[in-house]
Amino acid sequence: MDLLKQEAEHGALKVLYLSKYVLNMMALLCAPVRDEAVQKLENITDPVWLLRGIFQVLGRMKMDMVNYTIQSLQPHLQEHSIQYERAKFQELLNKQPSLLNHTTKWLTQAAGDLTMSPPTCPDTSDSSSVAGPSPNEAANNPEPLSPTMVLCQGFLNLLLWDLENEEFPETLLMDRTRLQELKSQLHQLTVMASVLLVASSFSGSVLFGSPQFVDKLKRIT
């Protein structure tokens, strides 16, 4: 750097020679995706535009190196972030034991829904054998409920949740808007399926054998 500074002060700095050296070094260090950009710089003869292009490509190479470093460290960062979040979460719980009352109530309700025995429907005897164990069999099963089952049931309950209810799980407040959109989509699908079912029962197979009629009915619904 001192030599280059002295050459620049005395007007002896060879910009094109220096630029060629820099381009060769960039070609050795850059990612393959930047090879084309470096090759284009080799065809520029104007020193100003050449230096400007070099700095632009160097900036992209710097971002490539940062992204590669983050990607290589991501597993370690995730492991430490999980431990950090758990420690902070436990610290908050120690200070405020009632911090997750709504979440606890939500999961308790989901577990109760899984263990509850709903009234059996005679029309579903055949389908239950295909879909899996019936609710009664699940209720009589001595094996404890898995956390995954309870969590899945809890998320299903949220699709029917009264969003105006203030007792929303604290751990899902950030996802409340997204869950509201999913609830709206579920409502639309339910309405459409109901209309198609009613229309099919009244019209029979004549109209529903026409793809054009079914598509038009879906669009109208």
Side-chain angles (χ1 to χ4, degrees), residues 7-214:
E7 291 179 352
E9 291 174 349
H10 293 83
L13 181 63
K14 299 179 181 180
V15 179
L16 293 178
Y17 175 80
L18 179 62
S19 301
K20 184 177 181 181
Y21 169 78
V22 173
L23 290 176
N24 291 335
M25 187 62 64
M26 290 171 61
L28 293 175
L29 298 177
C30 71
V33 71
R34 305 299 177 195
D35 288 342
E36 184 178 355
V38 175
Q39 292 176 0
K40 290 181 178 179
L41 292 177
E42 295 176 354
N43 300 325
I44 300 177
T45 57
D46 188 300
V48 176
W49 286 101
L50 178 58
L51 290 176
R52 180 176 297 177
I54 287 177
F55 280 112
Q56 289 178 351
V57 178
L58 282 176
R60 296 170 186 170
M61 290 174 58
K62 184 178 181 180
M63 291 304 301
D64 293 339
M65 182 59 66
V66 171
N67 291 331
Y68 172 76
T69 304
I70 293 177
Q71 184 178 3
S72 60
L73 294 177
Q74 188 174 8
H76 305 284
L77 293 175
Q78 287 180 345
E79 181 180 356
H80 289 286
S81 66
I82 292 174
Q83 295 175 358
Y84 175 79
E85 289 177 2
R86 284 180 176 175
K88 283 295 181 182
F89 203 66
Q90 188 63 47
E91 183 179 343
L92 289 175
L93 283 177
N94 294 335
K95 293 181 180 179
Q96 304 179 26
S98 62
L99 184 64
L100 297 180
N101 284 350
H102 296 337
T103 301
T104 303
K105 184 178 180 180
W106 165 59
L107 293 176
T108 303
Q109 179 182 352
D113 293 340
L114 289 174
T115 56
M116 187 183 303
S117 300
T120 59
C121 179
D123 296 336
T124 59
S125 58
D126 295 336
S127 60
S128 62
S129 61
V130 179
S134 64
N136 289 331
E137 292 175 352
N140 296 328
N141 191 351
E143 296 183 1
L145 296 175
S146 68
T148 303
M149 293 173 58
V150 176
L151 192 61
C152 289
Q153 182 64 38
F155 280 115
L156 289 176
N157 292 344
L158 287 178
L159 294 178
L160 304 176
W161 194 274
D162 182 10
L163 296 178
E164 300 299 329
N165 188 356
E166 297 181 356
E167 295 184 357
F168 198 82
E170 298 89 346
T171 53
L172 295 172
L173 290 177
M174 297 291 293
D175 300 314
R176 190 166 187 169
T177 302
R178 186 171 60 174
L179 290 170
Q180 186 174 4
E181 294 176 356
L182 289 175
K183 179 181 179 181
S184 177
Q185 294 177 11
L186 174 63
H187 179 69
Q188 293 177 6
L189 290 175
T190 304
V191 172
M192 180 177 291
S194 302
V195 172
L196 292 176
L197 181 61
V198 173
S200 174
S201 63
F202 276 95
S203 63
S205 60
V206 178
L207 286 177
F208 264 71
S210 171
Q212 293 82 2
F213 171 76
V214 177

